[in-house]
Amino acid sequence: MPDSNESPQGLKFADVPFDPTLSRRQQKRALFQKKARDAQGYVNETAFRQVERKYRTRIPPPDLSEVIDFRPGATNHPDIASRIVPVALNPAWQTERRRLQHVFGQWTPGHHTGYMLLGFPGLIFIPNPFTPTAQRRLVKQCLRQHARPPHKSNLDAHYQVPDEGVWNRHEGAQCHGWDDADPRGQVPAALKPSPGNHCPNSTAATGQHQSPPPKPTPHATATALVPKLRWVTLGYQYDWSRKEYFLNSPLAFPQDLDDLSRAIVTAIHDVGYGVAGNTSPPSQYTTIAALPPGYDHDRGYVHHYDPAQFQAEAGVINYYQTRDTLMAHVDRSEVNMDAPLVSLSLGNSAIFVIGEESREAKPLALYVRSGDILCMCGPRRKAYHGIPRVLENTLPEYLQPQLPAADTDTDWPLFGAYMLNARLNVNVRQVL
Ligand SMILES: O=C(O)CCC(=O)C(=O)O
Ligand SMILES: [Fe+2]
């Protein structure tokens, strides 16, 4: 009689770490997954791929102890904790936040600190500077305003997206109770697949989004299509086949995202860290860091890109459902690789993985939560990065469908219902 603890492939349950929280069926699945991994010879995979796979694996759930958490007071792995450098943001950022309350929300003092990592020059993390109301406004803009023609989206490959956009049609159907057969709530199929847009399950810049493409159907309800939205491109549109921008026909860049990204580029101007013992710190906003053992090669890093030179010219909005991932890639289609890339997270939290110019270097993983901003500058602008995991059930309270009764945001519940299983990422690039 075969040992009931043994799989048909001859692997024993003892070969995978025992996790008492898993059902027997889940343990069996973990065992099969391990077997499949071994069979595919993962021994030769790159360091980046290994880390990506670690965080993608669901059963057993991954160990998150090495994921960097920039929240004040968070417990970080000791190797990481000694590398986190709080940096003073440029004071001009306060003026910008005050001026742009339609973007960041009502101004209150604070939000002076960003974070960098020793031995990892060019990554600047700004913890959520938005009020809850401002975040909800951004989410609404991403769904109502930005996800509609003339901006291209993954849905264009199979559907004739109406001028009002799929979200507004969905909202109409839900508010007025139109049934599925009502043409007012439907989206017709494309007459033929549109060239240059045949990459329906990818982000504009990379072609890496891992999620099922929408099935070509004669027509679909807007409500069914909303969770199939994966990306929208802003400003310069992107030529998928040539992996370059269409430079002759830029669309006007959305004002709110233009304001937002320019304010962030102002916040990080002249920001960085110098090294203890260096007698002339490179700028007045430079923190002086004491280097932990193993980082004595680090000469410090200060970000100098002039905000007056920054132009928000192209952007991608990624709409993730909680099981979607974004594979390792470098955003290298921009002619100007000196300008920082500004990236905003909204909704459920995720694990962001970023390494070096080569996939062979072991990357770092960090939490990105709703409102957090990541800037990829200098050497980090050319670094591989990706999202191996969106973390389920991490939507902040202020984005939940049911807000406290005192809240007057009456049209939020439909957005909140979408956000329960979603993460949005808005990233803005200068192209020229
Ligand atoms: O979703 C994210 O945080 C990253 C998105 C990204 O890297 C991209 O669109 O190029
Ligand atoms: Fe990217």
Side-chain angles (χ1 to χ4, degrees):
M1 222 173 89
D3 180 349
S4 63
N5 236 5
E6 195 165 330
S7 75
Q9 278 83 6
L11 255 179
K12 292 206 170 60
F13 279 113
D15 292 336
V16 289
F18 178 69
D19 181 341
T21 62
L22 298 183
S23 69
R24 200 166 166 75
R25 212 177 130 189
Q26 287 173 320
Q27 286 180 48
K28 220 169 182 171
R29 206 168 131 207
L31 179 67
F32 278 109
Q33 283 178 349
K34 182 178 187 314
K35 173 81 185 169
R37 287 198 293 272
D38 292 351
Q40 285 173 39
Y42 280 126
V43 275
N44 288 328
E45 72 185 351
T46 63
F48 200 105
R49 189 83 190 96
Q50 270 174 34
V51 172
E52 244 177 354
R53 185 161 54 73
K54 166 176 168 175
Y55 293 115
R56 282 178 72 145
T57 305
R58 281 169 188 271
I59 299 173
D63 169 11
L64 302 182
S65 63
E66 285 179 18
V67 182
I68 303 167
D69 191 340
F70 288 112
R71 280 185 305 191
T75 316
N76 277 289
H77 194 281
D79 296 349
I80 289 297
S82 59
R83 292 176 63 182
I84 297 178
V85 201
V87 288
L89 297 173
N90 192 305
W93 155 240
Q94 295 300 325
T95 321
E96 286 300 275
R97 279 206 306 119
R98 215 169 187 154
R99 190 173 69 83
L100 300 170
Q101 295 186 41
H102 62 286
V103 178
F104 294 101
Q106 194 176 14
W107 186 83
T108 49
H111 302 284
H112 299 288
T113 309
Y115 296 92
M116 296 179 73
L117 289 163
L118 297 179
F120 207 65
L123 185 79
I124 309 179
F125 180 94
I126 301 181
N128 170 26
F130 303 93
T131 63
T133 309
Q135 283 194 36
R136 290 196 293 264
R137 200 181 300 143
L138 281 162
V139 168
K140 288 181 186 176
Q141 287 286 101
C142 288
L143 291 164
R144 268 190 186 145
Q145 296 299 332
H146 305 325
R148 58 200 269 188
H151 297 148
K152 291 204 186 320
S153 84
N154 64 304
L155 298 177
D156 295 330
H158 295 292
Y159 297 95
Q160 295 176 55
V161 176
D163 283 346
E164 78 212 72
V166 165
W167 177 270
N168 293 310
R169 211 160 259 204
H170 160 62
E171 209 172 347
Q174 297 307 308
C175 294
H176 299 106
W178 299 332
D179 70 23
D180 287 0
D182 191 321
R184 288 173 296 180
Q186 290 180 348
V187 178
L191 300 175
K192 57 179 169 58
S194 52
N197 254 325
H198 54 265
C199 205
N201 59 341
S202 310
T203 61
T206 66
Q208 312 278 355
H209 237 307
Q210 298 286 293
S211 57
K215 287 200 184 78
T217 47
H219 56 76
T221 63
T223 297
L225 285 189
V226 161
K228 295 187 169 148
L229 181 63
R230 287 293 177 278
W231 55 260
V232 159
T233 43
L234 311 171
Y236 284 119
Q237 300 294 293
Y238 196 69
D239 184 338
W240 286 99
S241 46
R242 302 166 71 112
K243 293 207 166 164
E244 40 180 65
Y245 289 100
F246 291 108
L247 291 178
N248 51 359
S249 51
L251 301 174
F253 205 85
Q255 191 61 50
D256 57 340
L257 302 180
D258 185 332
D259 288 342
L260 191 159
S261 50
R262 197 184 296 274
I264 297 301
V265 178
T266 303
I268 60 175
H269 184 218
D270 284 346
V271 165
Y273 61 92
V275 170
N278 191 339
T279 45
S280 52
S283 96
Q284 70 191 103
Y285 312 120
T286 307
T287 304
I288 303 302
L291 298 176
Y295 292 92
D296 26 6
H297 57 284
D298 195 335
R299 294 282 163 269
Y301 177 80
V302 183
H303 172 74
H304 286 304
Y305 199 82
D306 179 1
Q309 299 299 313
F310 184 77
Q311 300 290 338
E313 290 170 330
V316 183
I317 307 180
N318 292 298
Y319 303 79
Y320 296 81
Q321 295 285 298
T322 40
R323 293 191 82 89
D324 291 346
T325 60
L326 181 65
M327 299 273 287
H329 66 279
V330 177
D331 298 296
R332 52 170 121 245
S333 299
E334 296 74 25
V335 179
N336 182 338
M337 293 291 280
D338 297 327
L341 190 154
V342 175
S343 176
L344 160 71
S345 295
L346 292 165
N348 281 283
S349 306
I351 296 176
F352 181 86
V353 173
I354 179 161
E356 310 280 343
E357 278 186 52
S358 156
R359 280 193 185 90
E360 302 301 331
K362 187 179 173 198
L364 296 174
L366 44 121
Y367 288 106
V368 280
R369 299 189 173 88
S370 199
D372 289 346
I373 291 167
L374 266 181
C375 304
M376 290 186 255
C377 317
R380 231 36 61 187
R381 181 66 184 78
K382 297 175 186 149
Y384 275 95
H385 58 277
I387 296 279
R389 185 68 171 260
V390 176
L391 298 160
E392 295 95 338
N393 304 317
T394 53
L395 189 69
E397 222 162 81
Y398 54 81
L399 299 181
Q400 297 280 336
Q402 293 310 324
L403 298 176
D407 215 299
T408 52
D409 204 343
T410 48
D411 58 357
W412 177 255
L414 201 59
F415 293 92
Y418 170 82
M419 290 307 287
L420 279 176
N421 295 311
R423 168 181 182 263
L424 307 187
N425 164 261
V426 182
N427 61 77
V428 180
R429 305 119 190 260
Q430 175 158 3
V431 176
L432 300 177

